[in-house]
Amino acid sequence: MKYKRDQMMYAAILGWFSFCWFGWAQAAPRDDWRIWIGLLDGVAILISITGGILSFRNWHAPSALNKNSSWKWYLIFLISEFVLALIGAVFLISKDQISDISIWISFVVAIHFFGLKFVFRDYSLFILGGAMLLVTIIAYPLANYLNVDESAITGIGNGFCLLLLALVGLYLALQKNN
């Protein structure tokens, strides 16, 4: 990634969504996982707040989104992600398969990072998308094996993936010669 402001926004946005995924994981995890999920949730929100403050203080710094075509494609991927997630969730609710919603959302979010790679010109988004896709693929069998809800696996797995990239973004944003 070329721009410090984008790295700050990675910390803010990915930290926030890490917080959300860890929150979803708390719906039905094993009891002995709760403290660790809660601690990771706390770290995620602190990174998000830090990234948000840094982003706000550097709002006019260069960003990949300053280019009109990048902003347009960012909005296309973002809106498409929300629409697909909503359609799939409504469909799963109508089929009384509510426990599969986290897997569907995980799939949609993972795929959207492949498109965002081209917007931000950042290969780490391919890695993030691939890692989240792997979480999506293993969530159902691992949840059955561990006897937990799929949301615990997708929440922990995706929360951790997003937290790692948020931490990388924060680290890079704080580097002097970046």
Side-chain angles (χ1 to χ4, degrees):
M1 169 173 310
K2 299 179 191 179
Y3 303 106
K4 276 188 161 302
R5 180 168 160 246
D6 293 343
Q7 293 161 343
M8 294 169 194
M9 289 302 291
Y10 273 23
I13 294 170
L14 299 180
W16 171 255
F17 283 108
S18 174
F19 171 77
C20 293
W21 277 104
F22 284 130
W24 202 345
Q26 293 182 46
R30 290 177 26 179
D31 286 339
D32 56 332
W33 293 1
R34 289 186 188 279
I35 185 71
W36 301 108
I37 296 169
L39 288 172
L40 288 168
D41 222 359
V43 170
I45 196 66
L46 288 174
I47 289 178
S48 178
I49 290 168
T50 303
I53 291 168
L54 289 171
S55 299
F56 178 76
R57 293 181 67 195
N58 293 279
W59 194 256
H60 297 292
S63 167
L65 296 179
N66 289 350
K67 299 174 182 171
N68 286 336
S69 64
S70 292
W71 178 248
K72 176 185 79 174
W73 280 107
Y74 174 76
L75 289 176
I76 288 170
F77 287 123
L78 183 68
I79 292 167
S80 298
E81 173 192 19
F82 282 113
V83 169
L84 284 172
L86 179 62
I87 290 170
V90 168
F91 175 78
L92 289 169
I93 290 168
S94 74
K95 297 295 180 184
D96 200 28
Q97 296 177 328
I98 294 171
S99 65
D100 293 334
I101 292 174
S102 66
I103 292 175
W104 172 250
I105 302 296
S106 181
F107 173 75
V108 172
V109 171
I111 296 303
H112 110 286
F113 281 113
F114 294 118
L116 289 182
K117 179 271 175 208
F118 297 103
V119 172
F120 290 98
R121 294 168 192 83
D122 183 356
Y123 282 96
S124 67
L125 295 174
F126 266 165
I127 296 167
L128 178 59
M132 291 181 73
L133 195 54
L134 181 61
V135 168
T136 304
I137 292 167
I138 67 168
Y140 188 77
L142 190 56
N144 282 337
Y145 177 75
L146 295 171
N147 197 29
V148 296
D149 192 81
E150 293 89 358
S151 66
I153 302 301
T154 56
I156 293 168
N158 289 333
F160 190 73
C161 293
L162 291 162
L163 182 59
L164 284 178
L165 196 53
L167 281 167
V168 168
L170 184 60
Y171 172 79
L172 292 174
L174 295 174
Q175 296 300 302
K176 295 219 184 277
N177 297 326
N178 185 8

